């Protein structure tokens, strides 16, 4: 909901590679009902101050916590930090009798949801009324370092076609109010109730972006400049591009996948800009259709290709993204790791698909097991496999129609 610039203030950077940091949002949940409970402040009070190098803070809801990782140039370091911060939070949640969920939307909830006491969040509640009180949504936000604000705006233009695919890969919120929504990301569908949500507008330069932001403020669509529902934006405080398309990640590795792909896309954008290649201003109608398809189907159905506005399979767009991002993955050395994580999602399914399989066996409580963060997680090997973009190009049965 807001920009937390903690990821841009800590940690060392490799000057030859853009830095990356991740913000994750979690819900404190009643283990018996799977509903959010307003225990975020109690959990935060129990997180050891020096246990991990991340930052922790409350969010819009009294049941919501955000973490901000350190900045790093290596995905292995990022992975270890995210794992540590999740473990610390889960242990603190267990101490107050709560579970910690990393899902794009609460599996079940009642309305109204308690909003944090922070003055700014109260202003947001006043502005959006019942939309805020019915929005137990969590995301995974990736910050990538860029030289300056002008570059950040140009990079965002290049990222626009890939934002729906990043959402599809992250889809992890099929349930709402205890029932299957029929969508892979109910968070993305629910977020459309706020003004301006989705792919950001194409902007010729930083001045044009600022005018677009000012127009939203003047129209009352946002509370301040720190707030936007666009899936990518230049930071208002630090030299980064923030990509916020993804649902909260069910696993650390899925969060790292978003970070690796996002940085690779940014690196590719920087190369294109250096070569004088500007991003085409694809229409907002195509962008909205692409977001809808990603939210509805995740990876398990049709998607909309920005290149021609036509439907194709979601997996084919994953292959295209991988090909497009290849120079960035090669430069960072992240190619094998990213392909490993992509193969895992194709083989095991997104968080949404895994939740549904679990629920078919054991109901909503079993689905919660997919997104619950445990205080003592087992070790996870960092194994890698081979593979190419062609491995993601096969069509799906639904690619020719929108149900």
């Amino acid at each position: 909901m807001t920009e937390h610039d903690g990821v841009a203030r800590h940690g060392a950077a490799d000057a030859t590679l853009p830095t990356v940091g991740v913000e994750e949002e979690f819900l404190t949940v009643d283990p018996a009902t799977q509903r959010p409970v307003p225990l975020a402040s109690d959990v935060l009070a129990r997180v050891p101050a020096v246990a991990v190098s991340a930052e922790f803070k409350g969010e819009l809801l009294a049941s919501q916590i955000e973490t901000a990782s350190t900045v790093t140039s290596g995905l292995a370091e990022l992975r270890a930090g995210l794992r540590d911060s999740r473990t610390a939070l889960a242990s603190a949640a267990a101490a107050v009798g709560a579970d910690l969920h990393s899902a794009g939307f609460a599996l079940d909830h009642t309305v109204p949801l308690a909003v944090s006491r922070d003055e700014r969040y109260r202003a947001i509640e006043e502005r959006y009324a019942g939309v805020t009180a019915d929005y137990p949504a969590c995301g995974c936000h990736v910050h990538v370092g860029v030289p300056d604000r002008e570059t950040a705006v140009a990079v965002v233009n290049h990222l626009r076609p890939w934002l729906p695919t990043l959402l599809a890969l992250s889809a992890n919120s099929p349930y709402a109010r205890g029932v299957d929504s029929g969508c892979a990301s109910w968070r993305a569908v629910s977020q459309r109730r706020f003004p301006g949500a989705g792919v950001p507008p194409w902007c010729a330069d930083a001045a044009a972006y600022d005018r677009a932001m000012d127009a939203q403020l003047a129209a009352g669509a946002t509370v301040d400049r720190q707030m936007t529902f666009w899936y990518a934006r230049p930071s208002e405080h630090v030299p980064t591009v923030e990509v916020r398309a993804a649902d909260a990640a069910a696993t650390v590795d899925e969060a790292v996948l978003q970070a690796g792909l996002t940085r690779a896309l940014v690196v590719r954008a920087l190369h294109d800009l250096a070569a004088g290649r500007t991003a085409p201003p694809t229409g907002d109608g195509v962008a909205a259709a692409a977001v809808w398809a990603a939210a509805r189907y995740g990876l398990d159905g049709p998607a909309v290709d920005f290149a021609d506005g036509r439907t194709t399979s979601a997996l084919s767009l994953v292959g295209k993204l991988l090909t497009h991002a290849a120079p960035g993955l090669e430069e960072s050395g992240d190619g094998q790791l990213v392909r490993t994580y992509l193969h895992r999602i194709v083989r095991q399914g997104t968080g949404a698909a895994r939740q549904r399989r679990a629920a078919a066996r054991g109901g909503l409580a079993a689905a919660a097991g997919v997104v619950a963060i445990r205080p003592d997680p087992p070790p996870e090997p960092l194994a890698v496999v081979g593979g190419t973009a062609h491995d993601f190009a096969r069509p799906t049965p639904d690619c020719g129609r929108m149900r």
Side-chain angles (χ1 to χ4, degrees):
M1 184 67 72
T2 62
E3 179 181 32
H4 184 353
D5 63 344
V7 295
R9 296 202 307 267
H10 302 274
D14 178 349
T16 65
L17 192 65
T19 56
V20 63
V22 171
E23 296 166 355
E24 295 197 278
E25 294 171 337
F26 306 97
L27 290 171
T28 53
V29 174
D30 184 326
T33 66
Q34 316 309 328
R35 293 174 176 171
V37 286
L39 293 175
S41 59
D42 299 271
V43 172
L44 289 169
R46 286 166 173 77
V47 176
V50 295
V52 292
S53 55
E55 291 186 359
F56 302 84
K57 65 184 280 285
E59 245 291 344
L60 175 67
L61 300 179
S63 52
Q64 197 171 34
I65 296 171
E66 181 182 89
T67 66
S69 77
T70 58
V71 167
T72 180
S73 295
L75 293 189
E77 181 183 354
L78 176 66
R79 183 177 186 264
L82 294 178
R83 182 180 169 87
D84 286 349
S85 62
R86 285 181 173 221
T87 299
L89 272 183
S91 297
V96 299
D99 277 353
L100 189 74
H101 281 191
S102 186
F105 207 80
L107 278 70
D108 196 3
H109 72 284
T110 58
V111 178
L113 292 161
V115 173
S116 299
R117 295 181 179 180
D118 178 88
E119 182 178 345
R120 181 171 178 275
Y121 292 143
R122 292 295 186 185
I124 292 172
E125 180 186 31
E126 174 66 23
R127 177 70 55 88
Y128 300 108
V131 178
T132 304
D134 189 28
Y135 189 62
C138 293
C140 175
H141 305 165
V142 179
H143 281 262
V144 180
V146 292
D148 51 55
R149 186 174 178 80
E150 201 70 52
T151 302
V153 171
V155 165
V156 167
N157 287 340
H158 280 269
L159 296 179
R160 293 175 74 246
W162 307 110
L163 297 173
T165 302
L166 292 176
L167 168 61
L169 283 165
S170 76
N172 186 34
S173 51
Y175 293 99
R177 299 207 186 186
V179 299
D180 193 327
S181 69
C183 295
S185 174
W186 190 250
R187 163 187 161 269
V189 174
S190 183
Q191 193 178 65
R192 297 294 295 179
R193 296 179 294 174
F194 292 96
V199 175
W202 189 94
C203 296
D205 51 28
Y209 178 85
D210 289 339
R211 287 193 296 271
M213 282 291 297
D214 289 342
Q216 289 216 338
L217 280 168
T222 58
V223 170
D224 53 38
R225 293 187 68 88
Q226 295 183 62
M227 182 181 191
T228 176
F229 300 100
W230 291 333
Y231 283 180
R233 64 184 182 183
S235 168
E236 290 295 317
H237 302 294
V238 289
T240 68
V241 168
E242 182 185 11
V243 175
R244 41 202 293 121
D247 278 4
T251 67
V252 166
D253 287 350
E254 284 164 291
V256 174
L257 172 62
Q258 287 286 321
L261 286 174
T262 299
R263 179 167 64 179
L265 290 170
V266 171
V267 170
R268 172 59 190 265
L270 292 171
H271 289 330
D272 285 343
L273 291 169
R277 293 188 288 268
T278 58
T282 308
D284 293 339
V286 171
V291 168
W292 162 250
R296 169 67 174 87
Y297 300 104
L299 295 182
D300 298 323
V304 177
D305 193 332
F306 260 60
D308 57 15
R310 302 174 72 88
T311 57
T312 183
S313 74
L315 286 178
S316 72
L317 290 186
V318 173
K320 284 188 174 184
L321 187 158
L322 190 57
T323 298
H324 181 80
L329 292 172
E330 180 180 356
E331 188 169 317
S332 65
D334 297 334
Q336 280 193 307
L337 186 63
V338 164
R339 286 192 292 271
T340 295
Y341 292 158
L342 285 174
H343 276 279
R344 187 182 299 169
I345 287 181
V346 170
R347 185 175 64 253
Q348 299 179 355
T350 61
R354 301 197 307 273
Q355 284 189 56
R356 283 176 170 139
R357 285 202 306 271
R361 297 190 301 267
L364 203 64
V370 174
V371 298
I373 310 301
R374 299 305 175 197
D376 52 351
E380 301 175 44
L382 196 64
V384 296
V385 300
T388 68
H390 297 292
D391 297 328
F392 305 100
R394 64 182 186 274
T396 63
D398 298 304
C399 66
R401 59 191 178 93
M402 300 289 283
R403 293 178 295 180

